[in-house]
Each structure stands twice: as C-alpha cells, then as structure tokens.
Amino acid sequence: MTGTLYVRINGIKHQTNAPTRNSRPAESMAYIKIDGTLRAKTRMARNVTGAIRWNEDFEVAVTKASEIEIAVFDKTEQNPVPIGLFWMRISDIVEELRRKKVEADNDAAWAAANAQDLARTPTARPTTGPLGENPVNGVEGIEAWWDLEPIGQINLKFNFVKDVAIRKRPSKLGRQGAVRKRKDEIQEIQGHKFVSQKFFQIICCALCTELFTGRGAQCQ
C-alpha cells in the first residue's frame, strides 16, 4: 500500500514488565516499524496502576508497504527489554476502513430518505484530522484493543489515506510521445540530407555566402 498511515498509540494493559532493581515503576516505549524499518517511537512512560499510557499520534508516509509492527520495550539498567509485539497487514486496515465507509454511506442514505420532509437543507459534515473526533470521508478510523504477544493488550487507532496517482490527459495530437515523420522531400548531396525549410529571418548561405529570405534548404 502507498499513502499516509495515521497511528495513535493510546496505551497498553495486562502486560508483564521487565523486573527492575529498585521499587520504581517500569518505564516503557513503543516503536513503530514498517516492513521491519523503524519509522517512529513514543516517549518513555511509567507503569501506573498496571497500565501504561502514551496517547501519541503519528503520521507515517509509506510506499508499497505490507505490514506495520509495534514493539513495546522496557527501559532497564542495561539494554531495552522487549515485553510485547503487535503486527497487522496494512491492507487489512484499508479493507476495514472501506467497509466502515460503505456502512456509513448506507446509513446516511437511509437516514436522508426517512427525514426528507424534515431536512430541507443539507449540511456539510465537519472534518478535522484523520484521527480527530470528527470523521474524514465518513470514516472515524479504527480503534480497538488488540492482543500483544506474548501477553497483554494494546489500544491503537488507525486511519489510512491512499495516494491517488495523477494521470496525464492524452494528447489531442494523437499518440502521446509519438515521433512524426517529416513529410518534406529529402535531397542527399555528398552524404548530407537537405530538407526544404522556411526561415523567418535573413539567412546567410553556407555555400555561396549570399543572403536570402523565405525558403531554403537546411542539412538535417
């Protein structure tokens, strides 16, 4: 998929944090990877009452991407320790958004038909961002709790906007990019190909050095 992927990482719960040497709660960070490449990460957040909250939004441009992976790491005295992993195909996100849009359009058409006598003037639906409270293109995005591997749950919200390829309008002159063959008669003299040419300024003949206007011959 090619376009812009919008991700909101709200938080995780029921996770198992890495043990710490002191009594301070664990600090965790979430990484966003697209096809195995790190694209964004959250700030560090502490475990409060068994859950971790980030509530951060990300906008990631993707090109021919297949899947998104979100890995959660705990900060320790040495190296970060992974505690949870989530992944999903981006095509599944796009398909679910398409299904929700179809349902929203059908519901809107049904409501408009029933309220035709009450609503004389249609009103435009306000839009904010792809992850805002108001829907974009009739879709508010996908938000839910997903399972983390090996244990825990993560709350995420997704939206996706495809890149629309701009198609060039076909040329009115025929095939686009075609090379037209010159119709003028070609005269070959001593290996040079001369074609009749119309000149709009005074030209000096390369052979006799005389000046002439109008039409002449030019080597191709």
Side-chain angles (χ1 to χ4, degrees):
M1 308 300 299
T2 299
T4 304
L5 178 65
Y6 298 90
V7 184
R8 174 182 294 171
I9 303 180
N10 292 321
I12 59 175
K13 63 181 181 180
H14 303 153
Q15 77 283 353
T16 300
N17 292 104
T20 57
R21 294 182 180 179
N22 49 39
S23 59
R24 298 179 60 184
E27 289 184 330
S28 303
M29 176 185 294
Y31 293 82
I32 298 177
K33 294 183 179 181
I34 303 296
D35 292 339
T37 302
L38 179 63
R39 300 296 303 274
K41 60 183 179 180
T42 66
R43 69 184 189 281
M44 283 288 182
R46 291 189 181 276
N47 185 339
V48 180
T49 65
I52 298 175
R53 295 290 181 183
W54 291 288
N55 298 324
E56 294 188 40
D57 293 337
F58 301 93
E59 179 179 332
V60 183
V62 298
T63 302
K64 297 181 180 180
S66 298
E67 64 183 34
I68 177 174
E69 174 186 321
I70 298 178
V72 182
F73 289 81
D74 272 1
K75 179 183 178 181
T76 62
E77 290 77 6
Q78 297 178 353
N79 297 325
V81 176
I83 64 170
L85 177 66
F86 165 86
W87 74 274
M88 176 180 285
R89 288 193 297 264
I90 300 178
S91 59
D92 292 342
I93 298 175
V94 175
E95 179 61 25
E96 180 65 15
L97 290 170
R98 186 197 65 80
R99 186 188 64 81
K100 292 188 67 174
K101 185 177 187 304
V102 171
E103 292 180 354
D105 292 343
N106 292 338
D107 293 342
W110 180 266
N114 290 339
Q116 187 173 6
D117 295 335
L118 299 177
R120 297 289 182 179
T121 304
T123 57
R125 179 179 295 178
T127 61
T128 56
L131 294 175
E133 299 301 329
N134 296 321
V136 175
N137 297 328
V139 180
E140 297 181 354
I142 306 169
E143 183 175 5
W145 286 94
W146 279 277
D147 290 334
L148 281 173
E149 295 292 343
I151 190 172
Q153 291 180 314
I154 184 169
N155 186 267
L156 303 169
K157 187 171 185 178
F158 295 108
N159 211 331
F160 188 83
V161 178
K162 285 185 178 181
D163 281 350
V164 180
I166 302 176
R167 297 181 179 180
K168 295 182 179 181
R169 301 178 65 179
S171 175
K172 296 181 179 180
L173 299 178
R175 297 197 313 270
Q176 190 172 4
V179 178
R180 291 182 174 272
K181 186 178 180 180
R182 184 182 294 273
K183 296 181 180 181
D184 298 339
E185 184 179 359
I186 299 177
Q187 295 182 0
E188 186 172 352
I189 302 176
Q190 295 183 357
H192 292 267
K193 297 180 180 180
F194 291 91
V195 177
S196 177
Q197 180 73 32
K198 185 176 181 180
F199 299 99
F200 298 93
Q201 59 183 356
I202 298 176
I203 298 296
C204 179
C205 179
L207 181 64
C208 64
T209 67
E210 292 184 359
L211 300 177
F212 62 96
T213 58
R215 300 193 66 88
Q218 186 177 27
C219 179
Q220 299 300 297

